[in-house]
Amino acid sequence: MSAKIIDGKAVSQSIREELRTEVAALKGRGITPGLAVVIVGDDPASRVYVNNKKRACAEVGIYSEEHALPAGTRQEELLELVRRLNQDPAIHGILVQLPLPDHLDEKAVLNTIDPDKDVDGFHPVNVGRMVVGEPCFLPCTPHGVLELIRRTGIDLTGKRAVVIGRSNIVGKPVAILLLQQNATVTVCHSKTRDLPAICREADVLVAAVGRAEMVKGDWIKPGAVVIDVGVNRGGDHKLYGDVEFASASQVAGYITPVPGGVGPMTIAMLMKNTVQAAKRAHGLE
Ligand code: GUN
């Protein structure tokens, strides 16, 4: 193997340790950052994510409260909870775990969260601020992706970056953030023609498609930075990324593993946003 492994777990751990120190200092000033996590229904993957987020809060010293609502919750009940959390001074960040059950209007729910408490960075106000480069909450996974690239020490200026996937949660925001770092960015998706050829031009390749091991080693430019956002559960119950790690790691310069790459960064960035929200609420930032 030639690629250096980007250890997202270790990076996430060091960010969380820095945050723990910062939270202790805030508590000394009477400020305890607070996160409300809302989960509707009993999706097993969402349950695991929510538990991980609560555990991370406890580790860092952030107060967290869970609002677990039954799958049949009505839209208005959910909106009422969000409005109540918007008004709660102990809560600085609100996270509604997605996906929501089909009968609920995800957009309406996200749009009801106070943008100053939107630690997921999904509210259109924060998305807009991100696009025009104003201070905002950055969405956690894209922020984590950029942080991992930053830590390779590679300057993105003038580099060719290719993002596979155009979701609102990952692909689109990652593309915007890479652009802000002066990369030349191509966004690929299910209708893109000759995807492998485009990928071969990438100095930085970000895969966020949700198809196990779709990106092969011979799609990768030698020495490229490969960031794998995919989390796909195989028939063998193991986790697989969107990149075929065994072949890609022979060619890439840097690569993230799955698990242990981007995943842990998402939670670290959520903690960071929550601490930032608490500081802003108290006029400290
Ligand atoms: N579901 C999958 N990823 C995310 C995320 O980053 N935030 C929320 N709220 N739900 C998710």
Side-chain angles (χ1 to χ4, degrees), residues 38 46 49 53 95-99 110 120 122 140-141 169 266:
V38 180
S46 289
Y49 290 137
K53 287 167 187 178
L95 180 144
V96 178
Q97 187 65 31
L98 305 178
L110 296 180
D120 252 333
F122 291 166
C140 302
T141 301
I169 292 186
T266 299

Side-chain angles (χ1 to χ4, degrees), residues 181-213:
Q181 298 298 312
N182 302 314
T184 301
V185 184
T186 303
V187 183
C188 301
H189 47 79
S190 54
K191 305 283 188 291
T192 297
R193 293 193 199 139
D194 206 359
L195 180 61
I198 297 173
C199 292
R200 279 184 207 110
E201 294 184 0
D203 301 304
V204 174
L205 181 63
V206 180
V209 250
R211 276 180 58 187
E213 301 196 314

Side-chain angles (χ1 to χ4, degrees), residues 58-265:
E59 226 183 86
V60 168
I62 294 173
Y63 164 72
S64 75
E65 59 184 39
E66 178 183 308
H67 297 266
L69 305 180
T73 299
R74 284 180 300 109
Q75 174 84 5
E76 191 47 41
E77 284 175 275
L78 179 55
L79 293 181
E80 196 43 54
L81 170 63
V82 171
R83 288 190 205 107
R84 192 150 49 75
L85 295 169
N86 281 343
Q87 299 302 323
D88 186 339
I91 295 301
H92 305 101
I94 302 169
L95 180 144
V96 178
Q97 187 65 31
L98 305 178
L100 291 171
D102 286 345
H103 68 283
L104 294 170
D105 179 350
E106 207 161 274
K107 275 192 186 145
V109 173
L110 296 180
N111 290 0
T112 303
I113 297 174
D114 179 344
D116 291 332
K117 296 192 177 189
D118 169 37
V119 285
D120 252 333
F122 291 166
H123 192 289
V125 164
N126 281 313
V127 177
R129 286 179 183 154
M130 176 186 68
V131 171
V132 294
E134 283 178 19
C136 62
F137 292 115
L138 293 178
C140 302
T141 301
H143 195 184
V145 167
L146 267 286
E147 184 62 23
L148 290 180
I149 297 171
R150 192 182 70 76
R151 286 177 186 240
T152 65
I154 287 170
D155 180 6
L156 286 169
T157 299
K159 296 285 193 317
R160 289 291 306 267
V162 172
V163 181
I164 320 176
R166 55 175 160 178
S167 70
N168 289 333
I169 292 186
V170 185
K172 280 187 214 166
V174 164
I176 299 288
L177 297 176
L178 289 166
L179 189 59
Q180 282 167 356
Q181 298 298 312
N182 302 314
T184 301
V185 184
T186 303
V187 183
C188 301
H189 47 79
S190 54
K191 305 283 188 291
T192 297
R193 293 193 199 139
D194 206 359
L195 180 61
I198 297 173
C199 292
R200 279 184 207 110
E201 294 184 0
D203 301 304
V204 174
L205 181 63
V206 180
V209 250
R211 276 180 58 187
E213 301 196 314
M214 187 184 89
V215 177
K216 309 297 180 192
D218 65 358
W219 296 21
I220 290 165
K221 180 173 170 176
V225 177
V226 177
I227 307 288
D228 190 349
V229 187
V231 184
N232 309 290
R233 182 83 54 189
D236 55 3
H237 297 288
K238 282 201 220 155
L239 289 184
Y240 291 88
D242 291 345
V243 177
E244 191 180 74
F245 186 86
S247 60
S249 58
Q250 301 296 323
V251 190
Y254 293 86
I255 190 166
T256 60
V258 176
V262 174
M265 293 299 289

Side-chain angles (χ1 to χ4, degrees), residues 13-51:
Q13 199 56 46
S14 80
I15 291 172
R16 285 195 255 174
E17 269 157 31
E18 283 161 29
L19 287 172
R20 189 164 39 197
T21 309
E22 194 173 357
V23 169
L26 285 171
K27 283 183 173 168
R29 304 172 69 160
I31 302 166
T32 301
L35 175 70
V37 182
V38 180
I39 177 169
V40 186
D42 39 27
D43 178 61
S46 289
R47 171 43 63 198
V48 172
Y49 290 137
V50 164
N51 287 348

